[in-house]
């Protein structure tokens, strides 16, 4: 007999008929000998309707009262679903987040779960009842007994947190698509269903497909080794397993706010090659990395910074043994990249830097916490370590520094994030837990698992930041203080000396709704800190490919860039991690970019998926 947590989203319980169908599914699962806890969202568009009512009363509703209002949506669903189960003869009881004992921070509208009191839950389960829990909500622990909500994707988070607290065998997430698809089926009807995907890949693909799984839920699953399966509530298809590495024995106290960083990593066997002043036009990156791929040069980090005039900088890192080959390729192709439309433009210049190291912090807990990257940069600044390159992803922040400063950087980061030497967090490869506690046989996954498109980002560029330790810490510390999360971060390779001070540009992306506030805040401090112009561009799209199998395969980046070049799509920024490559393009070209890349990697399946209305 298994203990299973099931979660049903709003469309799955959007009508009386759908609630009765869900009750039948739960009833069948119980009759096969399983114990079930069910977590549900509000019915259909209930939450949207409640938000609309609130905005009719107040243009800027109080966050506490919004939590009181929005938490009522799930209460309707839990009561109706419990009644439906009882009509089938199945004992059931409905419980709010407070009744379950989901204790959260006292932070209205975006609370994180601290711990879950499981005594009452366990008693009802042992009595043979199906416990139907209101997702998306909890209660604060500060003695005030305030109702709180968990923010977007909160029901997913509730379900996986309950599964972790109960040490359930697995957690099923029921939604309106048959599982995790290679991309959004609304944009590519032939998107292919995956049988399984690792938690790290899923975290990177947080915006993949129909947004069927929130990254906070995946973070908890990864940290506590909870196998997830995403399935359709409309069919009996097996869905997609999101596999987790063996858990590291984490405490269930401070469940969502425990240590955000699992490991500090470093690699001193690195060198950097930068091409300065390459033309800012479609096809340049494709041509460069196509040749690099043909010469079998395996690249680690790739960054392309924000353009300056009609030119751009592209930099990449390689391991030291293949540096000469990488340098030869870059030197040979540089003249061919010279702008034909403007022969007066300086020729593309190759800059090689030996004696560098990559230091990284890794961990799923950094998602949505702007202070983590800022803390890394501040720690390096305090240690007198200057940052040459920055690469960010959902689970890792990497900085390229001088090799002579690597030991100092690693020691400072381990101290700051309380990481013991040699300590490692959960990874994306190795042995993965299945619901039967057997192990999936390791095999070579396809290099690219999926393609994601994010149309909700804006890019900020700050010109002429002084190139010295502490600048990144100051910048991203300011954003963290204003609770603004940053996604991609790119530091230009071109350095200018102005009034005796070396300066570089830095660009980064934020959520579009934070763009204007971030710009205004940065303009206010730019003058006093000696920074240059602050430029905001909200008309961008970020398209990304993700796959653990791309490690050690030189041609993957080139193939992505070539797909964009064939569609005459200009790449404005590039950032990479070990299992992810992201490009910023013009907003109006975002969907075309996603479709071109999905086709280039032959990810289409034979079946067309239609998402229910």
């Amino acid at each position: 007999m298994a203990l299973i947590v099931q979660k049903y989203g709003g469309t799955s319980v959007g009508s009386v008929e759908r609630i009765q169908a869900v009750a039948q599914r739960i009833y069948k699962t119980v009759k096969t000998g399983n114990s079930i806890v069910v977590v549900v969202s509000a019915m259909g568009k209930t939450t949207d309707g409640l938000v609309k009512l609130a905005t009719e009363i107040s243009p800027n509703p109080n966050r506490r009262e919004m939590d009181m209002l929005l938490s009522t949506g799930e209460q309707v669903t839990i009561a109706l679903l419990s009644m439906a189960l009882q009509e089938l003869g199945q004992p059931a009881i409905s419980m709010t987040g407070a009744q379950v004992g989901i204790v959260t921070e006292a932070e209205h509208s975006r609370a994180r779960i601290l711990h879950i009191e499981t005594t009452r839950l366990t008693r009802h389960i042992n009595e043979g009842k199906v416990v139907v829990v209101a997702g998306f909500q909890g209660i604060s622990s500060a003695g005030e007994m305030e109702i709180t909500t968990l923010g977007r994707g909160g029901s997913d988070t509730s379900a996986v947190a309950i599964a972790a607290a109960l040490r359930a065998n697995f957690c099923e997430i029921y939604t309106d698509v048959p599982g995790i698809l290679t991309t959004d089926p609304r944009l590519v009807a032939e998107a292919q269903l995956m049988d399984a995907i690792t938690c790290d890949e899923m975290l990177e693909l947080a915006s993949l497909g129909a947004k069927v799984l929130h990254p906070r839920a995946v973070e908890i699953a990864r940290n506590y080794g909870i196998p997830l399966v995403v399935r359709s509530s409309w069919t009996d298809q097996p869905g997609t397993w999101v596999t987790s590495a063996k858990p590291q024995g984490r405490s269930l106290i401070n469940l969502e706010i425990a240590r955000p960083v699992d490991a500090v990593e470093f690699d001193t066997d690195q060198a950097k090659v930068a091409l300065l002043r390459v033309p800012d036009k479609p096809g340049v990156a494709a041509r460069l990395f196509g040749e690099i791929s043909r010469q079998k040069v395996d690249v680690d980090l790739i960054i392309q910074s924000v353009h300056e005039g009609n030119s751009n900088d592209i930099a990449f890192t390689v391991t030291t043994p293949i540096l000469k080959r990488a340098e030869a390729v870059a030197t040979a192709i540089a003249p061919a990249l010279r702008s034909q439309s403007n022969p007066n433009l300086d020729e593309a210049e190759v800059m090689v830097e030996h004696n560098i190291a990559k230091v990284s912090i890794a961990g799923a807990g950094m998602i949505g916490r702007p202070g983590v990257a800022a803390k890394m940069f501040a720690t390096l600044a305090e240690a007198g370590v200057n940052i040459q390159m920055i690469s960010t992803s959902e689970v890792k922040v990497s900085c390229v520094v001088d090799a002579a400063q690597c030991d100092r950087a690693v020691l400072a980061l381990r101290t700051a994030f309380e990481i013991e030497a040699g300590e490692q967090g959960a990874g994306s490869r190795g042995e993965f837990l299945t619901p039967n506690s057997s192990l999936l046989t390791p095999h070579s996954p396809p290099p690219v698992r999926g393609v994601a498109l994010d149309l909700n980002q804006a890019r900020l560029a700050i010109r002429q930041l002084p190139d010295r330790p502490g600048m990144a810490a100051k910048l991203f510390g300011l954003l963290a203080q204003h609770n603004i999360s940053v996604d991609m971060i790119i530091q230009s390779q071109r350095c200018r000396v102005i009034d005796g001070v070396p300066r570089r540009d830095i660009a980064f992306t934020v959520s579009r709704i934070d763009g204007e506030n971030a710009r205004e805040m940065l303009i206010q401090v730019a003058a006093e800190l000696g920074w240059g112009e602050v430029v905001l561009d909200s008309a961008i799209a970020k398209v990304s490919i993700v796959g653990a199998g791309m490690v050690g395969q030189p041609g993957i980046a080139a193939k992505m860039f070539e797909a964009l070049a064939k569609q005459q799509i200009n790449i404005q920024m590039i950032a990479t991690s070990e299992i992810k490559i992201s490009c910023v393009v013009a907003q109006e070209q975002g969907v075309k970019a996603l479709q071109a890349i999905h086709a280039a990697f032959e990810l289409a399946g034979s079946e067309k998926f239609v998402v229910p209305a």
Side-chain angles (χ1 to χ4, degrees), residues 98-363:
Q99 289 172 316
V100 167
I102 298 177
V103 180
T104 75
E105 302 170 303
E107 187 74 44
H108 289 294
S109 80
R110 53 172 182 249
R112 289 183 177 266
I113 297 172
L114 299 178
H115 63 277
I116 300 176
E117 302 283 356
T118 58
T119 306
R120 190 173 178 188
L121 259 178
T122 304
R123 186 176 79 245
H124 288 309
I125 293 167
N126 292 339
E127 290 169 354
K129 295 175 186 172
V130 171
V131 185
V132 184
V133 180
F136 176 65
Q137 61 180 247
I139 192 164
S140 69
S141 63
E144 300 293 328
M145 305 294 281
E146 287 288 305
I147 290 174
T148 56
T149 63
L150 308 181
R152 191 172 67 85
S155 292
D156 288 353
T157 305
S158 301
V160 184
I162 288 170
L166 291 172
R167 294 181 168 83
N169 295 80
F170 56 96
C171 179
E172 297 179 319
I173 306 290
Y174 284 93
T175 182
D176 52 8
V177 291
I180 307 297
L181 303 170
T182 51
T183 196
D184 189 337
R186 297 174 179 88
L187 303 177
V188 180
E190 299 82 9
Q192 191 172 174
L193 181 67
M194 302 183 213
D195 294 330
I197 186 171
T198 68
C199 273
D200 277 6
E201 289 172 319
M202 192 65 234
L203 282 168
E204 297 286 16
L205 286 168
S207 57
L208 171 67
K211 297 179 175 61
V212 293
L213 203 51
H214 195 271
R216 278 171 66 185
V218 185
E219 173 192 342
I220 297 167
R222 179 187 189 270
N223 288 340
Y224 292 93
I226 302 297
L228 296 179
V229 60
V230 179
R231 303 178 64 186
S232 171
S233 61
W234 304 73
T235 70
D236 290 321
Q237 289 181 292
T240 304
W241 284 97
V242 182
T243 55
S244 305
K246 286 183 177 179
Q248 302 297 310
R250 279 178 175 254
S251 168
L252 288 162
I253 303 298
N254 291 332
L255 192 144
E256 271 204 283
I257 65 166
R259 197 174 64 185
V261 174
D262 290 333
V264 174
E265 303 167 357
F266 65 95
D267 182 358
T268 54
D269 191 25
Q270 295 251 320
K272 179 175 71 176
V273 179
L275 276 85
L276 309 184
R277 296 181 296 278
V278 298
D280 183 43
K281 64 181 183 181
V284 171
R287 194 166 179 183
L288 170 62
F289 288 98
E291 187 58 35
I292 285 171
S293 170
R294 281 188 286 278
Q295 298 300 322
K296 307 296 184 191
V297 174
D298 190 20
V299 171
D300 183 5
L301 300 181
I302 302 172
I303 66 162
Q304 178 181 307
S305 51
V306 65
H307 71 89
E308 184 172 334
N310 295 317
S311 70
N312 217 320
D313 302 338
I314 299 178
F316 56 92
T317 61
V318 294
T319 57
T320 306
I322 61 172
L323 172 60
K324 285 186 178 176
R325 208 179 337 149
E327 184 180 358
V329 173
T331 302
I333 202 170
L337 296 178
R338 187 167 54 231
S339 175
Q340 301 303 311
S341 60
N342 186 358
N344 297 319
L345 190 71
D346 288 341
E347 183 176 334
E349 175 190 351
V350 177
M351 183 175 71
V352 176
E353 215 165 314
H354 306 259
N355 304 318
I356 63 166
K358 181 177 72 172
V359 293
S360 309
I361 55 172

